[in-house]
Amino acid sequence: MKYIYITCIALFLFSCGNNEEAEHAHDAEGNHVGSEVPAISKTIWTNQTELFVEFPALVEGRTSKFAAHFTVLDKHQPVRKGSVTVSLIKGETGIRHKVDAPSSPGIFSPALQPKTPGTYDLVFDLKTPEYSDRIVIEDVQVYASAEEASKNVAEAEEGGISFLKEQAWKIDFQTEPVTQGEVYDVVHTSGIWQAAPGTYKTLAAGANGMVNFVSENLTEGTEVKRGQLLMNLSSEGLSSNNVQAEIAQAKARYDQVKAEYERKKELYEDKIVPKAEFEKVESDFRVAEANYRALASNYGAGGKQIRAPFAGFIKSISTSNGNYVEQGAQLVTVGTDKSRILKTQLSASHNPGKESIANVWYKSENGEWKEVEGSDSSIISVGKEVEDRKPMIPVFIKVNDVVEMPEGSFTEVQIALGEAENGIVVPEAALLEDYGNYSVIVQTGGESYERRPVKIGKRNGKHAQVLSGLEAGEVVVTTGFYQVKMASMSGTTPAHGHDH
């Protein structure tokens, strides 16, 4: 009897140990964690931000933790400071969770526990010291059970190139969207930089004298400020054409006729002297005043002063320190880079005219293509004839950007002619060329990429027309694509630096 009793107890304990509820572990909130929930990943771009988020499929009563990667698109750098609020909204109700700082640079880890199955909007509100952004993922499903989520959430397809956000954030990396844009027939040519009229001024000697440089470092290219004293013209010790003596004489003459003018003015007002006599005295006074002020202007202790008329740089110096110069001699030319003239040329076969030139691009000193602002209104002139030895037609273009390249230097130029066509365009920087064939690296997801061949049409400045291979709205890599290409050749997927 005792044996039977012990056996029953053992059977009872065995049956309890195999209870279905006892097979499941629980997390801190009491949720079952024994069943696997499929993962979901989404990548959304705004004008300022890229959000790549990974999270378990949302299940009623179960906490889902998000790995939300935020990238500032301007420099493709992680968001290092700020807060993120994630909200699950249906109609006017919902739940939300805010985290006040990233768990690691660029990665925020909020969590939500949905209460009711259904279709919701998943909203991420990002606030940083520099800007704020709102990203909405529509039609996000909350499932009644993990089993239902497993049946309805498709597994992510393997393949493509894996390149983690942590890798992209550590290098010089940039992406840009594929857009619809205007494309033209573009002529590739070259141009020469020239100084624009009004951007330089030659200063001449206002009197005879010896040239004294104020600065020992006054050389071509020296930057100067408006009104800065550059040199003095001293006539001290000269027996003739002595400015100091001429100023003294002019001052004496001015004082004399001024006194006569004031005396005659009182007599004229009292009708003692005739009008003609007063007008002659007044005329002599005005002449003496103008002569004195002209001689005394810009005259200081060192002599006649030569000052910079505007902020810029010394373009050329036509004299030497200690030289004797006569009045009117050229001394120094001051220039500025605020605008330039770009002289280029076109073949007469293009039948160029001011109206037919739609856009102009030039290559800057750092090798980047820059569009001439208001290109259609910046064409100064187009030549009207060609010669036997000069079969090209000159084109003069005003460039208002600050151009660091020296005058007389060459630069590459692209000129857009005719009417524009609408088409899909991609940044020139995104193109990979291989023996005349082109391809781009397309970002298919937050950490997934693929290399795709494209057919290129017209090219203008920073962009190229894509005839096939891409659609507007897709995102391509413009800087750092060689690192992505190398990642595709490594054959291994690097480990994540965070929990997904």
Side-chain angles (χ1 to χ4, degrees):
M1 188 69 180
K2 182 178 180 181
Y3 176 78
I4 295 173
Y5 178 73
I6 294 173
T7 303
C8 289
I9 293 175
L11 290 170
F12 176 78
L13 293 173
F14 179 77
S15 65
C16 290
N18 285 276
N19 185 280
E20 183 179 357
E21 186 70 23
E23 289 180 351
H24 295 281
H26 296 77
D27 60 16
E29 289 80 18
N31 300 314
H32 297 301
V33 295
S35 299
E36 287 294 330
V37 176
I40 295 174
S41 65
K42 298 284 186 180
T43 306
I44 307 291
W45 289 271
T46 69
N47 292 333
Q48 304 177 90
T49 313
E50 176 197 303
L51 167 63
F52 167 58
V53 59
E54 298 174 300
F55 58 96
L58 301 179
V59 177
E60 176 190 3
R62 184 167 187 152
T63 300
S64 290
K65 186 178 180 181
F66 298 82
H69 309 62
F70 286 91
T71 303
V72 182
L73 289 179
D74 183 30
K75 299 295 183 182
H76 209 89
Q77 286 297 300
V79 174
R80 301 182 186 278
K81 294 182 180 180
S83 66
V84 167
T85 301
V86 60
S87 306
L88 193 64
I89 301 173
K90 186 175 185 179
E92 297 181 356
T93 62
I95 58 175
R96 63 174 52 86
H97 180 213
K98 179 182 179 182
V99 288
D100 294 321
S103 55
S104 61
I107 303 173
F108 293 79
S109 303
L112 291 175
Q113 188 182 54
K115 305 298 182 183
T116 308
T119 303
Y120 295 79
D121 287 341
L122 187 61
V123 181
F124 292 84
D125 286 299
L126 171 68
K127 292 187 178 181
T128 74
E130 290 78 25
Y131 75 101
S132 298
D133 207 351
R134 166 169 276 211
I135 303 172
V136 180
I137 304 176
E138 298 179 343
D139 300 329
V140 175
Q141 190 69 35
V142 175
Y143 297 96
S145 65
E147 290 75 14
E148 182 185 350
S150 298
K151 291 178 182 178
N152 289 278
V153 177
E155 292 290 335
E157 295 183 3
E158 297 293 334
I161 305 169
S162 178
F163 195 70
L164 304 185
K165 304 308 297 181
E166 291 87 344
Q167 292 176 283
W169 289 337
K170 291 178 181 178
I171 65 172
D172 189 11
F173 193 83
Q174 192 65 55
T175 61
E176 286 192 38
V178 179
T179 59
Q180 286 277 351
E182 294 182 337
V183 289
Y184 297 85
D185 287 320
V186 174
V187 177
H188 296 258
T189 181
S190 62
I192 301 176
W193 289 111
Q194 298 180 349
T199 61
Y200 63 92
K201 185 174 183 179
T202 299
L203 306 179
N208 298 352
M210 305 291 291
V211 177
N212 294 319
F213 286 10
V214 174
S215 172
E216 296 179 356
N217 299 321
L218 192 65
T219 56
E220 292 184 8
T222 302
E223 293 186 0
V224 295
K225 298 179 180 179
R226 178 183 174 89
Q228 180 178 334
L229 181 62
L230 305 178
M231 56 185 68
N232 290 311
L233 289 177
S234 175
S235 58
E236 185 178 357
L238 296 179
S239 59
S240 60
N241 297 320
N242 188 305
V243 177
Q244 188 174 2
E246 290 178 0
I247 292 175
Q249 292 175 1
K251 180 66 166 59
R253 171 64 178 166
Y254 168 67
D255 291 339
Q256 179 183 2
V257 295
K258 181 180 180 182
E260 179 69 8
Y261 165 73
E262 292 173 348
R263 188 175 68 84
K264 291 287 186 180
K265 183 178 181 183
E266 292 180 358
L267 294 174
Y268 172 70
E269 290 174 349
D270 292 337
K271 299 182 179 181
I272 298 175
V273 298
K275 182 179 180 181
E277 183 178 345
F278 169 71
E279 289 179 345
K280 183 179 184 306
V281 172
E282 183 181 26
S283 175
D284 292 342
F285 166 67
R286 300 300 181 196
V287 171
E289 181 183 34
N291 185 46
Y292 167 66
R293 296 194 185 282
L295 288 171
S297 65
N298 294 326
Y299 191 85
K304 200 75 169 177
Q305 297 176 337
I306 307 299
R307 295 182 178 273
F310 47 75
F313 63 94
I314 301 299
K315 188 174 184 298
S316 63
I317 300 176
S318 304
T319 187
S320 299
N321 194 27
N323 276 7
Y324 172 80
V325 295
E326 295 184 352
Q327 184 175 359
Q330 294 185 1
L331 300 176
V332 60
T333 301
V334 180
T336 177
D337 281 327
K338 288 186 177 180
S339 65
R340 287 282 189 90
I341 297 297
L342 181 59
K343 180 185 177 182
T344 184
Q345 53 190 6
L346 288 171
S347 170
S349 61
H350 294 296
N351 192 25
K354 290 182 67 173
E355 297 77 13
S356 65
I357 298 177
N359 276 296
V360 178
W361 297 268
Y362 65 90
K363 218 164 198 179
S364 64
E365 60 276 1
N366 56 10
E368 295 183 357
W369 284 104
K370 297 190 68 174
E371 181 178 356
V372 177
E373 294 185 8
S375 298
D376 55 347
S377 61
S378 296
I379 309 300
I380 298 175
S381 64
V382 178
K384 302 298 183 183
E385 61 182 8
V386 296
E387 301 176 6
D388 292 339
R389 296 183 180 181
K390 297 179 180 179
M392 306 293 282
I393 293 179
V395 179
F396 294 87
I397 305 157
K398 184 179 180 181
V399 178
N400 291 322
D401 296 329
V402 174
V403 179
E404 301 292 344
M405 301 176 73
E407 292 178 29
S409 61
F410 283 83
T411 185
E412 295 181 52
V413 179
Q414 294 184 14
I415 301 178
L417 298 171
E419 297 293 330
E421 295 179 10
N422 285 321
I424 294 175
V425 295
V426 67
E428 283 266 5
L431 296 177
L432 286 162
E433 185 178 4
D434 189 11
Y435 297 103
N437 298 315
Y438 292 94
S439 62
V440 295
I441 301 294
V442 181
Q443 185 177 7
T444 56
E447 295 180 333
S448 57
Y449 300 80
E450 68 176 26
R451 185 172 181 178
R452 192 182 301 172
V454 292
K455 186 177 180 181
I456 299 301
K458 299 175 181 179
R459 304 171 76 161
N460 55 346
K462 292 184 176 181
H463 294 86
Q465 181 185 21
V466 179
L467 301 177
S468 64
L470 286 174
E471 294 184 2
E474 292 188 288
V475 176
V476 294
V477 179
T478 57
T479 304
F481 43 67
Y482 283 110
Q483 285 85 342
V484 179
K485 182 181 176 183
M486 292 302 295
S488 69
M489 299 170 63
S490 65
T492 59
T493 301
H496 284 280
H498 53 272
D499 295 330
H500 284 189

